[in-house]
């Protein structure tokens, strides 16, 4: 582990290789999981505040899920997450072609909001876990990211370099 201020980083960020390969994975990180994307308390407020701005960018099933459940929900562990469409993909997903992408980020790209997307999405496949005295920064090796690991190995790009901007 490597400590910088109150953050403790797993060496996996240095050792493991990773580059998203959207044409192969089809944005499955936005589609599959046991809950929506983790949210900070601040992000819960932001998503509520920008709901009307991002709605035009979302698919109808996503808008319906948000109208029904709210702009954020508590998961089975009591943590804030994005709502889901039918227990599967994030309600904020859009589907240009056959690739799941973020409707919040699309609104940001078009200058409609200053909020890009939840930090958990921006950092994926890295997850933050807050403890009393520090925040752990860990790489998650998920089966849905097999193509990204292969591309990262082929191009020799470690996780921390791939995530340079959000880190």
């Amino acid at each position: 582990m490597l400590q910088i201020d109150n953050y403790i980083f797993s060496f996996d960020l240095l050792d493991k290789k990773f580059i998203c390969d959207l044409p192969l994975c089809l944005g499955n990180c936005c589609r599959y999981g046991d809950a929506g994307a983790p949210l900070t308390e601040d992000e819960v407020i932001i998503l509520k505040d920008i709901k009307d701005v991002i709605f035009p960018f979302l698919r109808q099933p996503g808008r319906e899920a948000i109208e029904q459940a709210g702009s954020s929900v508590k998961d089975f562990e009591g943590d804030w997450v994005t709502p889901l469409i039918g227990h599967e993909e994030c309600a904020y997903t859009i589907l240009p072609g056959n690739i799941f992408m973020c409707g919040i980020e699309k609104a940001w790209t078009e200058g409609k909001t200053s909020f890009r997307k939840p930090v958990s999405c921006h950092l994926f496949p890295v997850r933050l876990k807050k403890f009393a005295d520090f925040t752990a920064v860990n790489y998650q090796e998920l089966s849905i990211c097999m193509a990204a690991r292969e591309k990262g190995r082929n191009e020799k790009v470690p996780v921390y370099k791939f995530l340079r901007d959000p880190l």
Side-chain angles (χ1 to χ4, degrees):
M1 300 293 229
L2 172 68
Q3 185 169 355
I4 300 174
D5 297 325
N6 290 339
Y7 291 89
I8 297 182
F9 295 84
S10 164
F11 282 126
D12 284 348
L13 276 76
L14 303 171
D15 300 334
K16 302 287 183 169
K17 309 298 187 239
F18 193 95
I19 298 176
C20 278
D21 197 343
L22 286 174
L24 289 181
C25 77
L26 304 177
N28 281 332
C29 56
C30 296
R31 185 173 187 191
Y32 297 119
D34 55 5
L39 299 169
T40 66
E41 296 282 338
D42 290 341
E43 290 169 339
V44 169
I45 295 165
I46 291 168
L47 288 177
K48 186 176 179 184
D49 289 346
I50 66 170
K51 180 179 138 187
D52 292 338
V53 172
I54 59 176
F55 252 47
F57 294 91
L58 304 180
R59 298 177 296 140
Q60 186 61 32
R63 291 191 295 266
E64 290 171 4
I66 294 166
E67 286 291 346
Q68 200 169 53
S71 54
S72 56
V73 297
K74 293 269 185 154
D75 69 4
F76 57 91
E77 294 179 339
D79 296 321
W80 286 109
V81 296
T82 59
L84 298 177
I85 299 169
H87 306 291
E88 192 166 276
E89 72 255 20
C90 174
Y92 293 101
T93 58
I94 57 176
L95 198 53
N98 63 342
I99 297 175
F100 286 87
M101 299 184 82
C102 182
I104 303 166
E105 189 166 31
K106 176 74 172 165
W108 174 81
T109 300
E110 294 195 11
K112 303 297 184 187
T113 178
S114 61
F115 180 66
R116 184 169 183 172
K117 61 183 167 183
V119 69
S120 66
C121 300
H122 208 176
L123 283 172
F124 190 81
V126 166
R127 289 290 188 223
L128 304 177
K129 177 74 174 168
K130 291 186 183 264
F131 293 92
D133 297 331
F134 65 93
T135 299
V137 183
N138 291 306
Y139 166 70
Q140 265 187 323
E141 192 164 288
L142 301 171
S143 60
I144 61 171
C145 295
M146 188 178 346
R149 290 191 302 276
E150 184 175 330
K151 185 173 182 177
R153 282 191 301 270
N154 290 341
E155 297 186 28
K156 297 177 177 59
V157 175
V159 174
Y160 82 93
K161 282 190 178 179
F162 172 70
L163 295 174
R164 172 184 66 247
D165 291 342
L167 282 172

